[in-house]
Amino acid sequence: MKKIYLFLILLTGFGLSSCEEEITGVTLPYREQLVIRAVLQAGEKIGNIRVERTIPPLENYTVEKALVKDAVLIIDDSEQLDTLTYKNGYYNSKLTAQSGKLYKLYAIWKNHRAYGETIVPEQASFDEIFIEFTKDTTIYENYYKATVYTNITPNANYVYTAGISFDNIIYGNYDEIFTYSQRASNNRLRICFTYTGGDDTLEVKKQLNNYKFVILSYDKQYYDYFITRYNGNSDDDIFGNVGANVRWNIRGDGIGMFIGRNIVVKKAKIN
């Protein structure tokens, strides 16, 4: 009986494999678009702008295949137009990004036309750093969770992320974003730099005093990207995702981000 049962399984398997066919000539809906990646950092030359094109879904992505080296990119800062130059994979401008200023980008390549605009935010202002300890015996008996934060007066046109800096490296709290709508009744917005903890609160404060504290201000358009960034395959990088359902601020025949940013890094004493 067991031999018969095994024979039937093998026979079924051969039958299924004999039905397999290789399908060729299949195409999927595809619209070629430009993929533009640009962050305008206040006080720095506008540059490192990357332009690629989308690849058909049945083709393997390679940088060389996607990279667009001969696009025409123009930035308008309302006072002058600057045509960007291409070198080593990136487009660069002669202009320096200025806080509070509106910039427009126009990209032309073959029959594609894409555009975007952004405001470079003013720097966030903060002086005091606070730490809030909460006892958490679920970890162990004398463990304290620590929330490190400040309060700012927010701008309705910006959103904020934060982090800490050590040895000139910024460790951002990039999974949390702070918006104007979250402000308290006194019009102040609480921004958290980091979450840490330990069983010795004085030691926690001592360690934190080795760091600098960072607030990154973005054009509020960044918020739409932030809340949709995991709608497709993604990593932690701002441009790690080119999914169709991500809310980019590049329009026309393109997707991607053209976004203004300002960073403040400050040393502050925690008592």
Side-chain angles (χ1 to χ4, degrees):
M1 184 66 182
K2 289 183 178 178
K3 290 182 179 180
I4 294 173
Y5 182 66
L6 178 60
F7 175 76
L8 289 173
I9 292 175
L10 292 173
L11 185 62
T12 302
F14 285 129
L16 289 174
S17 64
S18 66
C19 295
E20 292 181 0
E21 293 183 22
E22 183 177 349
I23 300 174
T24 59
V26 173
T27 59
L28 295 176
Y30 164 65
R31 176 190 171 200
E32 185 178 63
Q33 293 180 292
L34 295 175
V35 182
I36 298 174
R37 312 173 180 187
V39 176
L40 280 62
Q41 175 63 42
E44 296 182 3
K45 281 285 182 69
I46 298 172
N48 294 325
I49 297 177
R50 188 84 161 181
V51 181
E52 296 184 2
R53 67 180 183 92
T54 54
I55 300 298
L58 296 180
E59 289 186 25
N60 292 326
Y61 169 89
T62 65
V63 171
E64 189 58 36
K65 191 185 296 184
L67 192 60
V68 174
K69 304 176 183 180
D70 56 348
V72 176
L73 266 64
I74 299 170
I75 287 184
D76 178 4
D77 71 353
S78 77
E79 295 178 6
Q80 57 183 316
L81 297 176
D82 182 40
T83 301
L84 279 62
T85 56
Y86 175 85
K87 184 179 180 180
N88 298 330
Y90 297 93
Y91 293 82
N92 297 286
S93 170
K94 299 187 294 290
L95 303 177
T96 297
Q98 298 179 39
S99 300
K101 202 164 191 176
L102 174 69
Y103 293 87
K104 297 179 181 179
L105 173 72
Y106 303 95
I108 303 167
W109 182 68
K110 295 183 177 179
N111 62 335
H112 300 312
R113 304 288 185 274
Y115 59 93
E117 64 178 47
T118 188
I119 293 175
V120 176
E122 302 284 350
Q123 205 172 70
S125 176
F126 69 97
D127 295 309
E128 294 183 287
I129 304 294
F130 306 98
I131 185 166
E132 185 178 87
F133 287 103
T134 305
K135 194 167 186 178
D136 187 351
T137 56
T138 61
I139 298 177
Y140 55 84
E141 186 176 357
N142 293 315
Y143 186 85
Y144 291 87
K145 287 183 176 180
T147 301
V148 186
Y149 68 96
T150 191
N151 294 298
I152 69 166
T153 300
N155 187 309
N157 294 315
Y158 311 151
V159 294
Y160 306 89
T161 62
I164 56 175
S165 173
F166 185 71
D167 286 344
N168 295 319
I169 300 173
I170 295 175
Y171 301 91
N173 179 20
Y174 299 128
D175 285 332
E176 192 166 14
I177 196 165
F178 307 93
T179 68
Y180 183 78
S181 64
Q182 296 170 329
R183 69 194 188 284
S185 57
N186 63 355
N187 203 39
R188 301 282 279 171
L189 176 65
R190 173 165 156 156
I191 291 183
C192 297
F193 295 104
T194 188
Y195 302 92
T196 183
D199 58 0
D200 185 335
T201 57
L202 292 178
E203 183 62 27
V204 171
K205 291 180 180 180
K206 180 180 177 181
Q207 290 298 321
L208 287 168
N209 281 319
N210 293 322
Y211 303 138
K212 294 178 181 178
F213 299 91
V214 184
I215 295 180
L216 302 92
S217 308
Y218 287 93
D219 179 340
K220 67 179 180 181
Q221 294 178 95
Y222 179 73
Y223 181 76
D224 284 340
Y225 160 78
F226 181 88
I227 62 174
T228 60
R229 68 196 190 283
Y230 296 136
N231 283 1
N233 294 327
S234 178
D235 59 25
D236 291 334
D237 186 82
I238 182 173
F239 296 115
N241 188 324
V242 293
N245 295 322
V246 178
R247 296 180 192 168
W248 307 107
N249 76 330
I250 293 294
R251 303 288 184 258
D253 301 319
I255 57 176
M257 292 290 287
F258 177 69
I259 203 74
R261 181 178 68 186
N262 203 326
I263 301 176
V264 58
V265 181
K266 184 176 290 190
K267 185 76 174 175
K269 180 74 174 176
I270 297 179
N271 298 312

